[in-house]
């Protein structure tokens, strides 16, 4: 015999019930079946609400009952032929009238007793099973309905009754020994006490009903039909990459279901475990999918972790004090108090010193538990031997589950380090001696990040998902997004990095998509976005709280540079080509670096100097290896190098500067480049990265621009001033030719002093032949004394700058 159970979603409506009946009819061709069904989806909640409403003397319960009645009669109209409807409608009317009578009594008394609550809650399964039984008979003639209350007997603990297995097994066995019906349909969830009162088996109890029947008849298999393809490696609603688990042990399944895997009601396994009856979890809507097989002999797997699960709405109670150390019975007293209050303990950990005991319970029980504990330890608290019970709410338990974890070293270390890297603070830890489960308590706001981070670590072949929040989509930003789109597949296949752009913003619009923005039409998506607001951008990024989040600043904006600390302080990495932050006040620069270290949030700005050239990265390696920078000489402005390389007798200075802007070599405000401010920022960053403390005003800026050019306040006036002072620039060019030199804007640092300015470079200098938009940097160090370490290459342009930003993102992915 096979026992099948169909959950609420499988019988949610006529369409789904038809699919359920088709599965049953197909299986009945070769097997005798016992079929257990839940209430129609949402009906049990409505019944519980109706009971509470009536007990509160609110006539609104009548509308709820009407809604329930309509739902079931609509199902009859769609599922049962007209000729068969009269009898089932009469049955449903009888049950609905009984329900109304009970609720009327609750309303008059202003009370809902636990006994009445059980009867009311059980109507959902009773109504659904009788309707489905009639519909099933139209497809499988040799089928019948059997009221579970006649064969499953319990004590009178209303709400979650305990089964009397001795009586129940005998009644079920007796029923089937005297019955040759091919399919027998039972309502789940409901049972009856030995004195005949309706009881219930707890929410999710329909699974339990099926397991009780399966154990009693020694079924070949128990099939739980639901709306997912079995048990998953994590909750697929929270972890999109979660995968179905094909085989799993009873013990692993119990752990997963206890810690929140809602696809299986935890007590379900116990009745079938003794006789090793396999449990198959299947999907009503994809019956061809394999599902999950729970048995004593699951297939061996190279991965010691079978699943990651969690329980929400947890509170942590801590009882501590010197008066507990070495005092026998403290733990007993604590748990006795909780037991007397009927509070379930989900999580336990105790310090080896016995100084403190920490337990996890549901949030809803926290206040009641604290009151009871403080009262029980009232004397010790008054004497100062024990502190009042500490309560922390809005927490969550996350658990790794796997039978084979005990045979693999370092699982807990990987778990803790993975969470730590994403700034998920662990409040408490518990691990049993069997090592089948490692549980941690974390803040509820971090649960989605934690689940995804752990799943990525243990199930996704170490593929790391990077979530980018990009601000600035001008020339460089557009190239950056194009490069991501082009390289996305390569990164995933070869570097195990999955890059998603979650948010985009320009000065006008911003758009967020937690599943990742489609980069094929990102411009259109952004144009239809909401009004840009940096504060909203920050708060939305924090609120999403995604793992491996990276804020990418591709602007030259002061205000944006001033918000990096808000990201770094939330464990959100920052990648930027904006030089303002790192060339701001030294204290701010150090604060950003410190926040990066403290919150394990990378702060990368390779493109601040040399665009895509590996200048800062090389410098970091020099310093990390113990070298010391003594002197720096550099041409650090690709735009200025382009300008002076192209400035000639036939190509005037104004036009060259214009062309540099068109090609994206200058900042949006070209005066930043030509004034030397941009170069000063760059040499300042190199000096600071070399380990020296320096401020912007400490750098001597020998500007070559006339005073009038420097004093302009907009680009139009600036370019007019360049034309007006054309002779000034022509004279500089003529002087360079006369000295057989070339004009280069050079940055220097030596003996604690720095300067930037236009120089006449002789032909024997390595700077002389620096062409196009190239940069060059010479580092003189303790190791590179006579011959400096030299880095040279293209130092400006949208594509190379974008590639430098992209490289920083990949660096984070490789950490």
């Amino acid at each position: 015999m096979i026992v099948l159970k169909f959950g609420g979603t499988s019988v949610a409506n006529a369409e789904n019930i038809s699919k359920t009946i088709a599965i049953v009819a197909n299986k009945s061709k070769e097997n005798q079946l016992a079929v257990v069904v839940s209430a129609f989806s949402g009906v049990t909640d409505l019944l519980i609400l109706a009971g509470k409403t009536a007990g509160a003397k609110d006539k609104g319960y009548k509308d709820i009952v009407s809604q329930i009645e309509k739902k079931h009669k609509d199902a009859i109209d769609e599922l049962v032929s007209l000729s068969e409807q009269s009898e089932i409608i009469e049955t449903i009317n009888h049950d609905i009238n009984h329900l109304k009578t009970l609720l009327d009594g609750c309303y008059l008394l202003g009370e809902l007793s636990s006994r009445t609550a059980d009867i009311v809650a059980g109507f959902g399964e009773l109504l659904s099973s009788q309707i489905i039984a009639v519909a099933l008979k139209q497809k499988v003639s040799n089928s019948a309905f059997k009221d579970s209350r006649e064969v499953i007997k319990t004590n009178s603990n209303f709400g979650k009754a305990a089964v009397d297995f001795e009586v129940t097994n005998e009644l079920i066995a007796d029923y089937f020994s005297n019955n040759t019906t091919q399919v027998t349909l039972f309502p789940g969830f409901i049972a009856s006490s030995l004195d005949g009162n309706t009881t219930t088996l707890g929410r999710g109890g329909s699974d339990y009903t099926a397991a009780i029947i399966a154990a009693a008849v020694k079924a070949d298999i128990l099939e739980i039909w639901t709306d997912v393809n079995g048990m998953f490696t994590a909750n697929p609603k929270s972890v999109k990459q979660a995968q179905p688990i094909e085989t799993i042990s009873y013990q692993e399944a119990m752990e997963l279901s206890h810690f929140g895997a809602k696809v299986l009601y935890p007590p379900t396994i116990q009745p079938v475990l003794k006789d090793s009856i396999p449990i198959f979890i299947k999907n009503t809507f994809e019956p061809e999918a394999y599902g999950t097989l729970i048995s004593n002999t699951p297939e061996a797997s190279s991965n010691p972790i079978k699943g990651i699960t969690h329980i929400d709405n947890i509170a942590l109670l801590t009882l501590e004090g010197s008066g507990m150390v070495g005092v026998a019975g403290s733990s007993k007293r604590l748990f006795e108090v909780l037991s007397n209050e009927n509070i379930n303990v989900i999580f336990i950990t105790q310090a080896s010193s016995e100084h403190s005991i920490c337990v996890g319970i549901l949030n809803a029980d926290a206040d009641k538990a604290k009151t009871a504990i403080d009262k029980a330890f009232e004397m010790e608290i008054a004497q100062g031997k024990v502190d009042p019970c500490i309560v922390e709410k809005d927490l969550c338990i996350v658990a790794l589950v796997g039978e084979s974890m005990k045979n693999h070293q370092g699982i807990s270390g990987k778990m803790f380090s993975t969470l730590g890297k994403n700034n998920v603070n662990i409040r408490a830890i518990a691990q049993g001696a069997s090592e089948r489960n490692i549980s941690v308590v974390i803040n509820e706001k971090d649960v989605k990040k934690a689940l995804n981070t752990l799943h990525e670590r243990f199930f996704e072949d170490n593929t790391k998902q990077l979530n980018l929040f990009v601000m600035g989509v001008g020339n460089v930003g557009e190239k950056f997004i194009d490069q991501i789109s082009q390289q996305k597949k390569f990164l995933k296949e070869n570097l195990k990095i999955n890059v998603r752009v979650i948010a985009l913003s320009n000065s006008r619009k911003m758009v967020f998509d937690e599943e990742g923005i489609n980069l094929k039409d990102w411009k259109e998506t952004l144009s239809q976005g909401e009004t840009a607001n940096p504060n909203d951008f920050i708060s939305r990024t924090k609120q999403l709280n995604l793992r491996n989040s990276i804020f990418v600043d591709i602007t030259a904006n002061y205000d944006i540079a001033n918000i990096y600390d808000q990201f770094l302080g939330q464990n959100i990495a920052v990648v930027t080509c904006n030089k303002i932050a790192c060339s701001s006040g030294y204290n701010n620069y150090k604060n950003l670096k410190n926040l990066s270290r403290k919150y394990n949030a990378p702060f990368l700005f390779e493109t601040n100097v040399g665009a895509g050239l590996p200048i800062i990265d090389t410098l970091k390696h020099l310093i990390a290896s113990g070298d010391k920078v003594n002197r720096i000489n550099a041409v650090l402005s690709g735009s200025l190098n382009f300008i002076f390389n192209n400035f000639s007798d036939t190509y005037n200075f104004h036009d060259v500067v214009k062309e540099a802007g068109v090609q994206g070599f200058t900042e949006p405000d070209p005066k930043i480049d030509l004034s030397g401010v941009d170069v000063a920022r760059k040499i300042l960053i190199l000096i600071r990265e070399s380990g020296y403390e320096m401020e912007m005003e400490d750098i001597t800026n020998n500007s070559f621009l006339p005073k009038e050019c420097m004093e302009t306040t907009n680009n139009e006036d600036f370019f007019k001033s360049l034309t007006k002072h054309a002779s000034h620039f022509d004279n500089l060019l003529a002087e360079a030719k006369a000295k057989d030199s070339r004009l280069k804007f050079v940055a220097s640092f030596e003996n604690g002093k720095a300067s930037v300015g236009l120089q006449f470079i002789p032909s024997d200098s390595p700077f002389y032949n620096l062409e196009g938009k190239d940069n060059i940097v010479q580092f003189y160090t303790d190791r590179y004394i006579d011959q400096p370490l030299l880095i040279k290459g293209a130092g400006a342009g949208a594509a190379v700058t974008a590639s430098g930003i992209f490289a920083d993102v990949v660096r984070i992915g490789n950490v």
Side-chain angles (χ1 to χ4, degrees), residues 165-473:
F165 281 98
E166 185 176 348
V167 175
T168 296
N169 289 344
E170 186 177 334
L171 288 171
I172 293 172
D174 183 62
Y175 169 77
F176 280 104
S177 65
N178 295 305
N179 194 298
T180 57
T181 304
Q182 192 67 12
V183 180
T184 304
L185 195 137
F186 296 85
F189 183 53
I190 58 173
S192 67
S193 62
L194 293 172
D195 55 2
N197 291 310
T198 297
T199 57
T200 59
L201 303 176
R203 292 303 297 265
S206 293
D207 287 358
Y208 195 31
T209 302
I212 291 165
I213 294 170
V217 300
K218 303 293 190 288
D220 297 314
I221 195 165
L222 165 61
E223 295 183 359
I224 307 290
W225 289 80
T226 181
D227 57 355
V228 291
N229 292 335
M231 299 187 89
F232 277 67
T233 50
N235 185 342
K237 292 179 180 178
S238 299
V239 181
K240 301 300 181 185
Q241 291 78 26
Q243 311 145 14
I245 305 169
E246 289 198 353
T247 63
I248 191 171
S249 72
Y250 291 115
Q251 290 76 17
E252 290 168 329
M254 278 193 284
E255 292 279 1
L256 286 174
S257 60
H258 172 71
F259 278 94
K262 295 179 175 60
V263 72
L264 188 67
Y265 181 52
T268 303
I269 296 170
Q270 201 59 47
V272 299
L273 179 59
K274 180 181 175 183
D275 295 303
S276 298
I277 298 169
I279 303 174
F280 226 142
I281 299 175
K282 301 279 287 179
N283 188 346
T284 304
F285 310 102
E286 289 185 46
E288 70 285 351
Y290 183 78
T292 298
L293 177 62
I294 304 170
S295 69
N296 265 331
T297 56
E299 290 182 10
S301 170
S302 58
N303 190 346
I305 309 300
K306 276 295 173 74
I308 306 166
T309 187
H310 72 289
I311 307 176
D312 292 322
N313 302 314
I314 294 296
L316 210 56
L317 307 180
T318 303
L319 186 67
E320 63 182 12
S322 59
M324 294 171 57
V325 179
V327 177
S330 295
S331 300
K332 173 182 177 293
R333 289 173 62 194
L334 173 63
F335 294 121
E336 202 168 59
V337 168
L338 296 174
S339 176
N340 291 339
E341 295 293 330
N342 200 28
I343 294 172
N344 184 37
V345 175
I346 303 167
F347 175 100
I348 306 168
T349 184
Q350 181 173 6
S352 58
S353 66
E354 302 181 13
H355 181 264
S356 67
I357 306 172
C358 185
V359 297
I361 63 174
L362 292 176
N363 268 339
D365 294 327
D367 294 336
K368 179 171 67 171
K370 174 176 170 55
T371 300
I373 293 168
D374 286 347
K375 184 176 181 181
F377 288 86
E378 187 174 12
M379 184 178 296
E380 289 89 344
I381 292 172
Q383 294 172 347
K385 293 180 179 180
V386 174
D387 297 331
C389 178
I390 301 168
V391 178
E392 298 171 79
K393 295 184 179 180
D394 300 322
L395 302 174
C396 173
I397 298 175
V398 173
L400 290 186
V401 174
E403 189 75 36
S404 302
M405 288 199 300
K406 58 181 176 287
N407 300 319
H408 288 75
Q409 294 179 341
I411 299 295
S412 56
K414 290 178 183 176
M415 180 185 193
F416 303 148
S417 65
T418 299
L419 294 175
K421 284 178 181 177
N422 275 273
N423 204 37
V424 176
N425 186 37
I426 297 172
R427 298 289 304 111
I429 302 166
Q431 180 175 1
S434 68
E435 294 189 38
R436 188 181 294 130
N437 177 312
I438 305 173
S439 302
V440 296
V441 178
I442 64 172
N443 197 303
E444 205 162 64
K445 72 179 179 62
D446 290 326
V447 65
K448 189 172 182 180
K449 180 198 282 189
L451 291 173
N452 279 276
T453 300
L454 291 171
H455 195 274
E456 186 176 82
R457 179 67 182 84
F458 290 104
F459 289 102
E460 296 175 37
D461 195 24
N462 280 334
T463 297
K464 184 182 248 186
Q465 182 172 288
L466 303 181
N467 297 298
L468 308 189
F469 298 80
V470 182
M471 190 170 282
V473 287

